[in-house]
mmCIF file of all heavy atoms in Angstrom:
data_model
loop_
_atom_site.group_PDB
_atom_site.id
_atom_site.type_symbol
_atom_site.label_atom_id
_atom_site.label_comp_id
_atom_site.label_asym_id
_atom_site.label_seq_id
_atom_site.Cartn_x
_atom_site.Cartn_y
_atom_site.Cartn_z
ATOM 1 N N ILE A 1 -190.245 -54.204 -80.581
ATOM 2 C CA ILE A 1 -190.217 -55.244 -81.606
ATOM 3 C C ILE A 1 -188.761 -55.644 -81.854
ATOM 4 O O ILE A 1 -187.866 -54.810 -81.715
ATOM 5 C CB ILE A 1 -190.908 -54.743 -82.900
ATOM 6 C CG1 ILE A 1 -191.226 -55.894 -83.818
ATOM 7 C CG2 ILE A 1 -190.092 -53.692 -83.599
ATOM 8 C CD1 ILE A 1 -192.406 -55.624 -84.712
ATOM 9 N N PRO A 2 -188.494 -56.899 -82.196
ATOM 10 C CA PRO A 2 -187.110 -57.292 -82.496
ATOM 11 C C PRO A 2 -186.553 -56.514 -83.688
ATOM 12 O O PRO A 2 -187.299 -56.106 -84.581
ATOM 13 C CB PRO A 2 -187.217 -58.778 -82.832
ATOM 14 C CG PRO A 2 -188.493 -59.227 -82.215
ATOM 15 C CD PRO A 2 -189.409 -58.040 -82.250
ATOM 16 N N ASN A 3 -185.267 -56.314 -83.702
ATOM 17 C CA ASN A 3 -184.621 -55.631 -84.821
ATOM 18 C C ASN A 3 -184.875 -56.389 -86.114
ATOM 19 O O ASN A 3 -184.962 -57.609 -86.120
ATOM 20 C CB ASN A 3 -183.127 -55.500 -84.577
ATOM 21 C CG ASN A 3 -182.803 -54.594 -83.424
ATOM 22 O OD1 ASN A 3 -183.619 -53.771 -83.004
ATOM 23 N ND2 ASN A 3 -181.612 -54.723 -82.883
ATOM 24 N N GLY A 4 -184.995 -55.642 -87.208
ATOM 25 C CA GLY A 4 -185.228 -56.246 -88.518
ATOM 26 C C GLY A 4 -185.895 -55.257 -89.451
ATOM 27 O O GLY A 4 -186.022 -54.076 -89.147
ATOM 28 N N ARG A 5 -186.346 -55.757 -90.598
ATOM 29 C CA ARG A 5 -187.045 -54.919 -91.586
ATOM 30 C C ARG A 5 -188.540 -55.184 -91.490
ATOM 31 O O ARG A 5 -188.973 -56.338 -91.464
ATOM 32 C CB ARG A 5 -186.539 -55.210 -92.991
ATOM 33 C CG ARG A 5 -185.073 -54.773 -93.172
ATOM 34 C CD ARG A 5 -184.707 -54.535 -94.601
ATOM 35 N NE ARG A 5 -185.416 -53.444 -95.244
ATOM 36 C CZ ARG A 5 -185.148 -52.139 -95.080
ATOM 37 N NH1 ARG A 5 -184.207 -51.753 -94.265
ATOM 38 N NH2 ARG A 5 -185.823 -51.225 -95.742
ATOM 39 N N TYR A 6 -189.312 -54.102 -91.484
ATOM 40 C CA TYR A 6 -190.763 -54.199 -91.307
ATOM 41 C C TYR A 6 -191.493 -53.219 -92.209
ATOM 42 O O TYR A 6 -190.906 -52.274 -92.718
ATOM 43 C CB TYR A 6 -191.136 -53.882 -89.856
ATOM 44 C CG TYR A 6 -190.569 -54.864 -88.863
ATOM 45 C CD1 TYR A 6 -189.379 -54.603 -88.204
ATOM 46 C CD2 TYR A 6 -191.216 -56.060 -88.599
ATOM 47 C CE1 TYR A 6 -188.845 -55.509 -87.309
ATOM 48 C CE2 TYR A 6 -190.694 -56.968 -87.704
ATOM 49 C CZ TYR A 6 -189.509 -56.685 -87.058
ATOM 50 O OH TYR A 6 -188.981 -57.587 -86.177
ATOM 51 N N ILE A 7 -192.788 -53.456 -92.376
ATOM 52 C CA ILE A 7 -193.703 -52.469 -92.930
ATOM 53 C C ILE A 7 -194.821 -52.298 -91.912
ATOM 54 O O ILE A 7 -195.051 -53.169 -91.065
ATOM 55 C CB ILE A 7 -194.285 -52.869 -94.309
ATOM 56 C CG1 ILE A 7 -195.118 -54.135 -94.193
ATOM 57 C CG2 ILE A 7 -193.211 -53.004 -95.348
ATOM 58 C CD1 ILE A 7 -196.000 -54.370 -95.401
ATOM 59 N N VAL A 8 -195.508 -51.171 -91.992
ATOM 60 C CA VAL A 8 -196.598 -50.868 -91.077
ATOM 61 C C VAL A 8 -197.846 -50.561 -91.891
ATOM 62 O O VAL A 8 -197.769 -49.858 -92.909
ATOM 63 C CB VAL A 8 -196.225 -49.663 -90.189
ATOM 64 C CG1 VAL A 8 -197.442 -49.084 -89.497
ATOM 65 C CG2 VAL A 8 -195.188 -50.054 -89.168
ATOM 66 N N LYS A 9 -198.967 -51.090 -91.445
ATOM 67 C CA LYS A 9 -200.264 -50.746 -92.024
ATOM 68 C C LYS A 9 -201.080 -50.095 -90.912
ATOM 69 O O LYS A 9 -201.080 -50.579 -89.780
ATOM 70 C CB LYS A 9 -200.976 -51.989 -92.552
ATOM 71 C CG LYS A 9 -200.242 -52.626 -93.720
ATOM 72 C CD LYS A 9 -200.992 -53.817 -94.268
ATOM 73 C CE LYS A 9 -200.218 -54.431 -95.425
ATOM 74 N NZ LYS A 9 -200.931 -55.563 -96.019
ATOM 75 N N ILE A 10 -201.742 -48.999 -91.243
ATOM 76 C CA ILE A 10 -202.511 -48.255 -90.249
ATOM 77 C C ILE A 10 -203.982 -48.290 -90.631
ATOM 78 O O ILE A 10 -204.343 -48.010 -91.783
ATOM 79 C CB ILE A 10 -202.001 -46.806 -90.135
ATOM 80 C CG1 ILE A 10 -200.553 -46.823 -89.644
ATOM 81 C CG2 ILE A 10 -202.898 -45.992 -89.207
ATOM 82 C CD1 ILE A 10 -199.883 -45.485 -89.610
ATOM 83 N N ASP A 11 -204.821 -48.625 -89.648
ATOM 84 C CA ASP A 11 -206.272 -48.634 -89.815
ATOM 85 C C ASP A 11 -206.870 -47.505 -88.992
ATOM 86 O O ASP A 11 -206.525 -47.339 -87.820
ATOM 87 C CB ASP A 11 -206.869 -49.958 -89.349
ATOM 88 C CG ASP A 11 -206.378 -51.153 -90.153
ATOM 89 O OD1 ASP A 11 -205.874 -50.945 -91.273
ATOM 90 O OD2 ASP A 11 -206.509 -52.277 -89.656
ATOM 91 N N GLU A 12 -207.775 -46.736 -89.596
ATOM 92 C CA GLU A 12 -208.440 -45.631 -88.915
ATOM 93 C C GLU A 12 -209.784 -46.088 -88.362
ATOM 94 O O GLU A 12 -210.521 -46.824 -89.021
ATOM 95 C CB GLU A 12 -208.661 -44.490 -89.912
ATOM 96 C CG GLU A 12 -209.376 -43.297 -89.338
ATOM 97 C CD GLU A 12 -209.587 -42.205 -90.363
ATOM 98 O OE1 GLU A 12 -209.658 -42.496 -91.571
ATOM 99 O OE2 GLU A 12 -209.677 -41.045 -89.946
ATOM 100 N N MET A 13 -210.109 -45.641 -87.148
ATOM 101 C CA MET A 13 -211.405 -45.967 -86.559
ATOM 102 C C MET A 13 -212.471 -45.081 -87.205
ATOM 103 O O MET A 13 -212.378 -43.858 -87.164
ATOM 104 C CB MET A 13 -211.400 -45.757 -85.043
ATOM 105 C CG MET A 13 -212.697 -46.189 -84.402
ATOM 106 S SD MET A 13 -212.650 -46.295 -82.610
ATOM 107 C CE MET A 13 -212.440 -44.600 -82.145
ATOM 108 N N THR A 14 -213.471 -45.711 -87.829
ATOM 109 C CA THR A 14 -214.554 -44.972 -88.482
ATOM 110 C C THR A 14 -215.792 -44.887 -87.604
ATOM 111 O O THR A 14 -216.576 -43.960 -87.738
ATOM 112 C CB THR A 14 -214.918 -45.612 -89.828
ATOM 113 O OG1 THR A 14 -215.269 -46.984 -89.601
ATOM 114 C CG2 THR A 14 -213.739 -45.551 -90.788
ATOM 115 N N ALA A 15 -215.961 -45.859 -86.730
ATOM 116 C CA ALA A 15 -217.051 -45.909 -85.762
ATOM 117 C C ALA A 15 -216.581 -46.840 -84.646
ATOM 118 O O ALA A 15 -215.615 -47.571 -84.832
ATOM 119 C CB ALA A 15 -218.322 -46.449 -86.418
ATOM 120 N N PRO A 16 -217.223 -46.811 -83.493
ATOM 121 C CA PRO A 16 -216.791 -47.725 -82.428
ATOM 122 C C PRO A 16 -216.767 -49.176 -82.921
ATOM 123 O O PRO A 16 -217.776 -49.713 -83.365
ATOM 124 C CB PRO A 16 -217.836 -47.525 -81.335
ATOM 125 C CG PRO A 16 -218.332 -46.130 -81.556
ATOM 126 C CD PRO A 16 -218.307 -45.940 -83.059
ATOM 127 N N GLY A 17 -215.588 -49.780 -82.913
ATOM 128 C CA GLY A 17 -215.419 -51.164 -83.339
ATOM 129 C C GLY A 17 -215.278 -51.359 -84.830
ATOM 130 O O GLY A 17 -215.139 -52.479 -85.296
ATOM 131 N N ALA A 18 -215.293 -50.268 -85.614
ATOM 132 C CA ALA A 18 -215.166 -50.369 -87.069
ATOM 133 C C ALA A 18 -213.920 -49.616 -87.531
ATOM 134 O O ALA A 18 -213.705 -48.473 -87.134
ATOM 135 C CB ALA A 18 -216.395 -49.795 -87.746
ATOM 136 N N TYR A 19 -213.120 -50.280 -88.354
ATOM 137 C CA TYR A 19 -211.862 -49.700 -88.830
ATOM 138 C C TYR A 19 -211.747 -49.874 -90.334
ATOM 139 O O TYR A 19 -212.295 -50.815 -90.894
ATOM 140 C CB TYR A 19 -210.674 -50.397 -88.162
ATOM 141 C CG TYR A 19 -210.561 -50.091 -86.697
ATOM 142 C CD1 TYR A 19 -211.261 -50.827 -85.749
ATOM 143 C CD2 TYR A 19 -209.763 -49.049 -86.252
ATOM 144 C CE1 TYR A 19 -211.166 -50.532 -84.405
ATOM 145 C CE2 TYR A 19 -209.654 -48.748 -84.905
ATOM 146 C CZ TYR A 19 -210.362 -49.493 -83.988
ATOM 147 O OH TYR A 19 -210.260 -49.191 -82.661
ATOM 148 N N LYS A 20 -211.010 -48.942 -90.968
ATOM 149 C CA LYS A 20 -210.719 -49.084 -92.395
ATOM 150 C C LYS A 20 -209.235 -48.808 -92.617
ATOM 151 O O LYS A 20 -208.656 -47.924 -91.978
ATOM 152 C CB LYS A 20 -211.574 -48.155 -93.242
ATOM 153 C CG LYS A 20 -211.225 -46.702 -93.119
ATOM 154 C CD LYS A 20 -212.004 -45.853 -94.106
ATOM 155 C CE LYS A 20 -211.552 -44.402 -93.963
ATOM 156 N NZ LYS A 20 -212.140 -43.546 -94.938
ATOM 157 N N PRO A 21 -208.582 -49.562 -93.527
ATOM 158 C CA PRO A 21 -207.164 -49.341 -93.811
ATOM 159 C C PRO A 21 -206.972 -48.020 -94.556
ATOM 160 O O PRO A 21 -207.727 -47.710 -95.481
ATOM 161 C CB PRO A 21 -206.771 -50.527 -94.675
ATOM 162 C CG PRO A 21 -208.033 -51.153 -95.129
ATOM 163 C CD PRO A 21 -209.139 -50.697 -94.255
ATOM 164 N N ILE A 22 -205.961 -47.224 -94.121
ATOM 165 C CA ILE A 22 -205.728 -45.933 -94.756
ATOM 166 C C ILE A 22 -204.274 -45.708 -95.155
ATOM 167 O O ILE A 22 -203.989 -44.758 -95.882
ATOM 168 C CB ILE A 22 -206.186 -44.769 -93.855
ATOM 169 C CG1 ILE A 22 -205.420 -44.772 -92.536
ATOM 170 C CG2 ILE A 22 -207.675 -44.789 -93.653
ATOM 171 C CD1 ILE A 22 -205.578 -43.510 -91.726
ATOM 172 N N PHE A 23 -203.341 -46.563 -94.701
ATOM 173 C CA PHE A 23 -201.931 -46.290 -94.955
ATOM 174 C C PHE A 23 -201.120 -47.573 -94.902
ATOM 175 O O PHE A 23 -201.346 -48.420 -94.042
ATOM 176 C CB PHE A 23 -201.399 -45.311 -93.897
ATOM 177 C CG PHE A 23 -199.942 -44.992 -94.017
ATOM 178 C CD1 PHE A 23 -199.479 -44.091 -94.963
ATOM 179 C CD2 PHE A 23 -199.022 -45.590 -93.173
ATOM 180 C CE1 PHE A 23 -198.119 -43.789 -95.060
ATOM 181 C CE2 PHE A 23 -197.669 -45.297 -93.258
ATOM 182 C CZ PHE A 23 -197.221 -44.389 -94.210
ATOM 183 N N THR A 24 -200.158 -47.711 -95.827
ATOM 184 C CA THR A 24 -199.158 -48.772 -95.798
ATOM 185 C C THR A 24 -197.799 -48.114 -96.014
ATOM 186 O O THR A 24 -197.611 -47.385 -96.990
ATOM 187 C CB THR A 24 -199.414 -49.821 -96.899
ATOM 188 O OG1 THR A 24 -200.713 -50.391 -96.697
ATOM 189 C CG2 THR A 24 -198.364 -50.926 -96.846
ATOM 190 N N SER A 25 -196.880 -48.356 -95.101
ATOM 191 C CA SER A 25 -195.560 -47.721 -95.172
ATOM 192 C C SER A 25 -194.650 -48.458 -96.140
ATOM 193 O O SER A 25 -194.921 -49.586 -96.539
ATOM 194 C CB SER A 25 -194.904 -47.708 -93.787
ATOM 195 O OG SER A 25 -194.447 -49.000 -93.443
ATOM 196 N N GLU A 26 -193.558 -47.801 -96.473
ATOM 197 C CA GLU A 26 -192.463 -48.452 -97.173
ATOM 198 C C GLU A 26 -191.721 -49.311 -96.149
ATOM 199 O O GLU A 26 -191.865 -49.123 -94.941
ATOM 200 C CB GLU A 26 -191.517 -47.403 -97.757
ATOM 201 C CG GLU A 26 -192.140 -46.524 -98.824
ATOM 202 C CD GLU A 26 -192.495 -47.302 -100.082
ATOM 203 O OE1 GLU A 26 -191.732 -48.213 -100.453
ATOM 204 O OE2 GLU A 26 -193.532 -46.989 -100.678
ATOM 205 N N SER A 27 -190.908 -50.223 -96.614
ATOM 206 C CA SER A 27 -190.089 -51.046 -95.734
ATOM 207 C C SER A 27 -189.093 -50.161 -94.984
ATOM 208 O O SER A 27 -188.521 -49.238 -95.568
ATOM 209 C CB SER A 27 -189.353 -52.077 -96.581
ATOM 210 O OG SER A 27 -188.442 -52.795 -95.816
ATOM 211 N N PHE A 28 -188.905 -50.426 -93.685
ATOM 212 C CA PHE A 28 -187.943 -49.664 -92.887
ATOM 213 C C PHE A 28 -187.238 -50.588 -91.911
ATOM 214 O O PHE A 28 -187.708 -51.685 -91.619
ATOM 215 C CB PHE A 28 -188.626 -48.500 -92.147
ATOM 216 C CG PHE A 28 -189.684 -48.929 -91.176
ATOM 217 C CD1 PHE A 28 -189.381 -49.152 -89.841
ATOM 218 C CD2 PHE A 28 -190.991 -49.104 -91.599
ATOM 219 C CE1 PHE A 28 -190.356 -49.550 -88.949
ATOM 220 C CE2 PHE A 28 -191.985 -49.505 -90.707
ATOM 221 C CZ PHE A 28 -191.655 -49.724 -89.381
ATOM 222 N N GLU A 29 -186.096 -50.131 -91.422
ATOM 223 C CA GLU A 29 -185.242 -50.911 -90.527
ATOM 224 C C GLU A 29 -185.474 -50.505 -89.077
ATOM 225 O O GLU A 29 -185.477 -49.319 -88.755
ATOM 226 C CB GLU A 29 -183.772 -50.679 -90.898
ATOM 227 C CG GLU A 29 -182.789 -51.513 -90.121
ATOM 228 C CD GLU A 29 -182.678 -52.928 -90.637
ATOM 229 O OE1 GLU A 29 -182.985 -53.174 -91.808
ATOM 230 O OE2 GLU A 29 -182.257 -53.802 -89.862
ATOM 231 N N VAL A 30 -185.664 -51.490 -88.195
ATOM 232 C CA VAL A 30 -185.722 -51.255 -86.756
ATOM 233 C C VAL A 30 -184.375 -51.686 -86.196
ATOM 234 O O VAL A 30 -183.954 -52.817 -86.394
ATOM 235 C CB VAL A 30 -186.867 -52.053 -86.089
ATOM 236 C CG1 VAL A 30 -186.800 -51.951 -84.585
ATOM 237 C CG2 VAL A 30 -188.208 -51.577 -86.606
ATOM 238 N N LYS A 31 -183.689 -50.761 -85.507
ATOM 239 C CA LYS A 31 -182.351 -51.054 -85.001
ATOM 240 C C LYS A 31 -182.264 -51.085 -83.483
ATOM 241 O O LYS A 31 -181.402 -51.741 -82.938
ATOM 242 C CB LYS A 31 -181.356 -50.014 -85.534
ATOM 243 C CG LYS A 31 -181.167 -50.077 -87.020
ATOM 244 C CD LYS A 31 -180.150 -49.089 -87.500
ATOM 245 C CE LYS A 31 -180.016 -49.160 -89.009
ATOM 246 N NZ LYS A 31 -179.088 -48.173 -89.530
ATOM 247 N N ASN A 32 -183.125 -50.399 -82.791
ATOM 248 C CA ASN A 32 -183.042 -50.327 -81.327
ATOM 249 C C ASN A 32 -184.184 -51.057 -80.627
ATOM 250 O O ASN A 32 -184.442 -50.817 -79.452
ATOM 251 C CB ASN A 32 -183.010 -48.863 -80.875
ATOM 252 C CG ASN A 32 -181.778 -48.151 -81.385
ATOM 253 O OD1 ASN A 32 -180.700 -48.737 -81.439
ATOM 254 N ND2 ASN A 32 -181.941 -46.907 -81.775
ATOM 255 N N GLY A 33 -184.881 -51.905 -81.353
ATOM 256 C CA GLY A 33 -185.952 -52.693 -80.748
ATOM 257 C C GLY A 33 -187.227 -51.923 -80.477
ATOM 258 O O GLY A 33 -188.069 -52.377 -79.712
ATOM 259 N N ILE A 34 -187.393 -50.759 -81.111
ATOM 260 C CA ILE A 34 -188.599 -49.965 -80.878
ATOM 261 C C ILE A 34 -188.970 -49.218 -82.168
ATOM 262 O O ILE A 34 -188.099 -48.767 -82.904
ATOM 263 C CB ILE A 34 -188.397 -48.971 -79.718
ATOM 264 C CG1 ILE A 34 -189.685 -48.249 -79.384
ATOM 265 C CG2 ILE A 34 -187.283 -47.998 -80.009
ATOM 266 C CD1 ILE A 34 -189.635 -47.483 -78.097
ATOM 267 N N ILE A 35 -190.263 -49.116 -82.429
ATOM 268 C CA ILE A 35 -190.737 -48.291 -83.531
ATOM 269 C C ILE A 35 -191.106 -46.937 -82.934
ATOM 270 O O ILE A 35 -192.082 -46.839 -82.200
ATOM 271 C CB ILE A 35 -191.943 -48.931 -84.248
ATOM 272 C CG1 ILE A 35 -191.556 -50.281 -84.838
ATOM 273 C CG2 ILE A 35 -192.474 -47.995 -85.333
ATOM 274 C CD1 ILE A 35 -192.710 -51.045 -85.458
ATOM 275 N N ALA A 36 -190.304 -45.950 -83.221
ATOM 276 C CA ALA A 36 -190.514 -44.601 -82.657
ATOM 277 C C ALA A 36 -190.600 -43.578 -83.786
ATOM 278 O O ALA A 36 -190.084 -42.485 -83.666
ATOM 279 C CB ALA A 36 -189.408 -44.266 -81.675
ATOM 280 N N GLN A 37 -191.238 -43.955 -84.864
ATOM 281 C CA GLN A 37 -191.347 -43.080 -86.025
ATOM 282 C C GLN A 37 -192.631 -42.275 -85.981
ATOM 283 O O GLN A 37 -193.600 -42.656 -85.319
ATOM 284 C CB GLN A 37 -191.341 -43.908 -87.310
ATOM 285 C CG GLN A 37 -190.035 -44.606 -87.567
ATOM 286 C CD GLN A 37 -190.101 -45.435 -88.816
ATOM 287 O OE1 GLN A 37 -190.217 -46.639 -88.729
ATOM 288 N NE2 GLN A 37 -190.058 -44.788 -89.968
#
């Protein structure tokens, strides 16, 4: 991903093809063009 400030939202698979939101991160800085957290 390009460098900048981002947030991440994670959806968990509950059944094949069905997902529910379970997590939203705080804002963080990407400096090397990759999210490796």
Side-chain angles (χ1 to χ4, degrees):
I1 195 153
N3 294 340
R5 293 203 64 78
Y6 297 96
I7 63 165
V8 165
K9 295 183 181 182
I10 297 174
D11 298 341
E12 178 181 27
M13 184 168 67
T14 57
Y19 291 86
K20 70 173 182 175
I22 61 167
F23 178 78
T24 300
S25 74
E26 296 294 323
S27 173
F28 61 93
E29 185 80 24
V30 172
K31 294 182 181 177
N32 297 322
I34 186 168
I35 299 175
Q37 294 178 257

